[in-house]
Amino acid sequence: MKEDMPSYALRYESQQATYVLWNQAPLLSLGFYNYSYTGGAHGNYGTAVASYNTRTGQRLRFADVFRPAAETQLSPILDRAVRRTLRIPANEALDQTLFVKKMPVTHNFYLTSGGAVFVYTPYEIASYAQGEIHVFVPMKELQSVLLQPLPNS
């Protein structure tokens, strides 16, 4: 019964928010943030991101942006980018700072006119304490893996 349970046992929480991450026509990128606490040491959160071509209304999914074989080529590109982002020296193993030995390619990315941002949620490649990790890759580093020129590039 509810009356028999301690007050702290029923404290659940859920929050959602939507953010504009990039808005320069014809490119619109949005972040869909979600937080939930259902008990335990802390809640969990993450941001799902998406980009749209505002001229066509099309959502730009991974397969719409990157070549079919891009995943194998993107991993080393993301490796260099995450090292810049987190200031990990080139001669240091990634798993000294992250949970991974090799950067996985996430389909959770958004576009800007200058490049793409790959978003990793807590526990995906790093500890909860390190938070979400946003890895920016400049457009010039992506040219070899792009399917076609991006809107506004």
Side-chain angles (χ1 to χ4, degrees), residues 4-5 8 10-11 17 21 37 40 44 52 54 60 72 79 85 94 98-99 104 110 118 120 127 134-135:
D4 297 334
M5 296 186 78
Y8 63 82
L10 298 176
R11 294 194 179 158
L21 300 169
Y37 177 78
N44 282 312
Y52 301 86
T54 58
L60 301 170
T72 55
D79 183 289
T85 301
L94 278 183
L98 303 173
F99 289 161
Y110 68 93
F118 294 82
Y120 298 88
S127 70
H134 296 232
V135 179

Side-chain angles (χ1 to χ4, degrees), residues 81-97:
V82 78
R83 287 175 184 281
R84 283 191 305 263
T85 301
L86 300 179
R87 296 185 177 104
I88 302 171
N91 62 346
E92 183 178 304
L94 278 183
D95 62 357
Q96 293 294 314
T97 303

Side-chain angles (χ1 to χ4, degrees), residues 20 22 39 50-51 53 58-59 62 77 87 100 125 127 138 143-144 149 151 153:
V20 175
W22 187 262
S51 294
N53 180 331
Q58 176 191 12
R59 178 172 177 187
F62 192 88
I77 293 170
R87 296 185 177 104
V100 297
I125 63 168
S127 70
Q143 291 304 319
S144 65
S153 63

Side-chain angles (χ1 to χ4, degrees), residues 4-71:
D4 297 334
M5 296 186 78
S7 63
Y8 63 82
L10 298 176
R11 294 194 179 158
Y12 299 115
E13 184 177 352
S14 179
Q15 298 175 18
Q16 292 82 34
T18 302
Y19 300 98
V20 175
L21 300 169
W22 187 262
N23 187 12
Q24 186 177 25
L27 199 55
L28 172 66
S29 295
L30 302 174
F32 304 96
Y33 173 83
N34 183 50
Y35 169 84
S36 106
Y37 177 78
T38 57
H42 56 74
N44 282 312
Y45 69 95
T47 305
V49 294
S51 294
Y52 301 86
N53 180 331
T54 58
R55 289 189 183 128
T56 65
Q58 176 191 12
R59 178 172 177 187
L60 301 170
R61 299 183 189 279
F62 192 88
D64 301 320
V65 175
F66 297 103
R67 295 177 189 263
E71 291 212 24

